[in-house]
Amino acid sequence: MKKVILVQRNEPGSDNGVNEGKLAELKELARAAHYQVVGVLTQTRYPDRKYQVGRGKVDELAVFVEVSGADKVIFNHQLSTTQIYNISETCKCEVIDRFNLILEIFASRATTRRAKLQVELARLQYELPKARSIVSLLKKDERPGFMGLGGYEDSYEQDVKKRIVRIRNEIHSSCKSSESLRSFRHERGFSLVALAGYTNAGKSTLFQSLVKEGTEVEDMLFTTLSPTTRSLSINQRRVLLTDTVGFIEDLPHWMVDAFRSTLDEIFLADVILLVVDMSDPVEVIRQKLVVSHDIFWKRIEGVEIVTVLNKVDMVEPDDLKRKVDEISYLAPHPVLISASSGDGFEALVDKIYENLPQWDRSRIALDMSEESLSMVSWLYDEGIVHSIDYGEQIVLDIEAREEILQKVSKFNIDDHRVLS
Amino acid sequence: MFSIIAVDISGRHKIKDGYYMVCAAVALEVSASHIESISQTAIKPFLSPGPPDVLAIVNIIEATVSEIESSGPIIVEKGDLYNRPEWISKKMFSRDMKYQESLSERLAIEFAHHISLSSRKLLMKELDIE
Ligand SMILES: Nc1nc2c(ncn2[C@@H]2O[C@H](COP(=O)(O)OP(=O)(O)O)[C@@H](O)[C@H]2O)c(=O)[nH]1
Ligand SMILES: [Mg+2]
């Protein structure tokens, strides 16, 4: 794990609670990017053009970096090229800002081709205004060799612009690919469940607990896919559970597209677990839910939402009831849990099961043959085999999605249909 | 389950001699994410020589909703009330109103929108305008 130091400059006269909230979110983001936070520096002052924080604070930071062995420094502000350059020269280590950090998280979580392209696009858009200043900054410092480069300044910027155009085109033509990932997974008899909600709601904690509790389906194809997707069995139904970055507050507009595409995993799910931190004040909960509905609107069709009201262990029963009442009109299929203690998991699993895509049941009879035996194993992969009897014929009681039952419908022995 | 009344107004642009508007109100039962049932709809045409101000819009909505028997808050799109903050809009209505928030409230508004749009089309055709 790489070690990082976080730096935050607070505006003079700004609200303490708000500042603490911002710092807490930065910590969460650093954790999500798999950094180990070894220290935090804050300073209250107006921004410094050259260093963001004060010159003296940067010297202090440099010492801090050296003793703690930090690999990186993360500022909770957008930094100019000059500032990044100056701070990293002083601290002798890599310096990034909040937006670079969010881009890193997106990049590591982007699984679909489209999501990857969109993250790259956001990165280039972030780089574009800097493309010019990097060159002039290096010129100003009279680095040898730069004066002789002539048109480099223009061509660097042109290069970034060209790549932006190319990626935009590619995104346009690859819109369909994430859909195919979904149908591929469905073809393997899985239903898709994704965790959504704001940073710190408890998504990852719930993910870990569900994975630990549930019997994991052994399937190399999926367990190797990504560390944030696991296969589980929920009342015999095979489910792929995906943890996501979730929703992040105050995203700059140029990052919104990248953010939306990493949410593909959520929009393409069959069931969304919308995790809510019930220890937040009720007005905050309501606001976050409204934004969540806004994000879902027109992006999910036929996807069921289960609202996971988490951290009930932190709220007084009376208070909890009042909060639940107040937000119920924004909470589809609500269920109260504590992800850390495991309270309410049974109800949650039932809720997930109830909202999985409908599967139907059917009894079929197959003649004994090599072909039938391979069909039986295919049915085991695709659905649930409730019973199987090997007699003169192989008689199966199966549960599966409609396409599968359709394929074996000619072997159906339900109701009035008689064995031939 | 919650009772709501979703409203939408079509035709807020000038045609020939005025503004031919149609307001639709739909009474529904909704959960947080789905429309569960629809109990009543009401449609009312309004002709105005000039562009409707916010008070005119409020009157149009209240006149249409008065034909609905069910109770429940009126759900209005913020843009329909010229993006006024919700607490200001609330004061202009004689009954409970709010802007849409949940998926089901948005669906309900969308539904009302299709009704007002199609009935206005029919009206314009009958009047031989457009
Ligand atoms: N008390 C309490 N803390 C929880 C619960 N679930 C999660 N947390 C804590 O909330 C913080 C954020 O959890 P995390 O799973 O990382 O949230 P994420 O950002 O949504 O993935 C962590 O410190 C968790 O230990 C819970 O049910 N009760
Ligand atoms: Mg997480």
Side-chain angles (χ1 to χ4, degrees), chain A residues 292-405:
Chain A
S292 305
H293 280 249
D294 190 38
I295 293 171
F296 293 149
W297 175 241
K298 291 292 171 195
R299 293 193 179 81
I300 58 170
E301 226 145 76
V303 182
E304 289 299 336
I305 299 166
V306 170
T307 315
V308 182
L309 307 176
N310 189 32
K311 305 197 189 180
V312 295
D313 56 292
M314 292 177 72
V315 191
E316 292 298 319
D318 285 350
D319 204 21
L320 186 64
K321 192 183 170 317
R322 191 178 51 78
K323 285 179 171 176
V324 172
D325 283 349
E326 216 161 308
I327 56 147
S328 64
Y329 75 104
L330 289 165
H333 304 117
V335 47
L336 292 160
I337 71 152
S338 165
S340 50
S341 81
D343 261 7
F345 273 33
E346 248 174 70
L348 174 61
V349 167
D350 285 346
K351 268 281 191 310
I352 297 173
Y353 179 72
E354 284 164 23
N355 287 286
L356 291 176
Q358 178 80 42
W359 278 14
D360 290 321
R361 234 159 134 162
S362 167
R363 266 159 53 81
I364 59 167
L366 306 169
D367 287 332
M368 202 52 106
S369 74
E370 191 84 17
E371 207 181 316
S372 296
L373 287 177
S374 73
M375 184 176 282
V376 167
S377 90
W378 173 71
L379 285 169
Y380 267 105
D381 275 348
E382 289 290 345
I384 303 168
V385 177
H386 287 288
S387 75
I388 180 163
D389 292 315
Y390 294 93
E392 232 167 273
Q393 285 186 307
I394 311 170
V395 178
L396 296 119
D397 175 1
I398 54 171
E399 182 179 334
R401 70 213 150 87
E402 204 188 321
E403 295 101 294
I404 304 299
L405 297 185

Side-chain angles (χ1 to χ4, degrees), chain A residues 169-234:
Chain A
N169 290 336
E170 212 175 321
I171 287 171
H172 197 70
S173 61
S174 77
C175 275
K176 284 282 165 280
S177 66
S178 42
E179 273 292 338
S180 66
L181 178 69
R182 179 191 212 189
S183 55
F184 170 68
R185 288 169 166 187
H186 277 160
E187 271 162 29
R188 306 271 309 186
F190 281 94
S191 300
L192 314 179
V193 178
L195 287 153
Y198 275 86
T199 312
N200 208 36
K203 298 181 293 298
S204 301
T205 310
L206 180 59
F207 178 78
Q208 296 301 340
S209 312
L210 282 175
V211 168
K212 205 157 32 147
E213 285 235 331
T215 38
E216 190 159 347
V217 180
E218 270 314 316
D219 196 315
M220 287 306 285
L221 201 57
F222 292 116
T223 44
T224 54
L225 248 190
S226 102
T228 52
T229 296
R230 283 279 171 277
S231 50
L232 302 174
S233 157
I234 289 191

Side-chain angles (χ1 to χ4, degrees), chain A residues 135 139 146-159:
Chain A
V135 177
K139 270 182 184 168
F146 255 89
M147 300 308 276
L149 276 177
Y152 180 79
E153 189 169 349
D154 283 345
S155 75
Y156 182 53
E157 197 188 335
Q158 286 307 317
D159 190 42

